[in-house]
Amino acid sequence: MTRINGNQEMKFKERDGCIRTLEDKIWIPKSSRNECITFFHKILCHAGVKKTFEFMKKEYDMEELAKQVESIVRKMSSLSNIQDIYRSHKRRNNR
């Protein structure tokens, strides 16, 4: 199975019901990327960008894996920081 990605030709194979790269990594389709990265970020106890990326790159692949992980993990971290600030502010005002 071959797919053209921009100027790059990517080859895939199917094994155990999964699409895999020739390096035998599971290919994550666009429709599942957000959910997959979020899942690994959470099961790694909200590890940062580097740890989430390092964990995923061992067994998984997608277009621009590092960039996708960085974008999603940073968004999640920003949201978490906003929630922390809100909780802290709420606690101070309820004293």
Side-chain angles (χ1 to χ4, degrees):
M1 185 178 343
T2 302
R3 179 171 166 250
I4 304 296
N5 175 26
N7 294 330
Q8 181 181 5
E9 182 178 311
M10 301 181 76
K11 297 191 182 218
F12 299 92
K13 57 187 173 183
E14 185 177 346
R15 195 183 90 210
D16 302 326
C18 294
I19 304 292
R20 295 181 176 267
T21 64
L22 294 181
E23 294 83 29
D24 207 33
K25 295 180 180 182
I26 296 172
W27 182 257
I28 303 169
K30 283 183 181 181
S31 61
S32 301
R33 291 178 184 167
N34 258 349
E35 182 180 1
C36 187
I37 293 168
T38 299
F39 172 78
F40 285 115
H41 178 65
K42 286 180 179 179
I43 66 164
L44 293 169
C45 299
H46 298 275
V49 172
K50 184 176 180 180
K51 287 183 180 178
T52 303
F53 170 71
E54 292 295 326
F55 179 84
M56 288 186 70
K57 79 175 188 175
K58 292 175 188 174
E59 298 289 328
Y60 301 91
D61 203 358
M62 68 177 73
E63 294 166 304
E64 300 180 327
L65 176 62
K67 186 177 177 181
Q68 296 283 331
V69 169
E70 181 176 14
S71 174
I72 292 167
V73 171
R74 288 202 189 282
K75 284 178 191 172
M76 291 179 71
S77 296
S78 293
L79 179 59
S80 178
N81 289 340
I82 289 168
Q83 290 170 338
D84 289 345
I85 292 167
Y86 174 76
R87 282 188 214 106
S88 175
H89 178 73
K90 191 173 178 182
R91 279 192 297 265
R92 278 184 282 186
N93 288 336
N94 287 334
R95 288 183 184 175

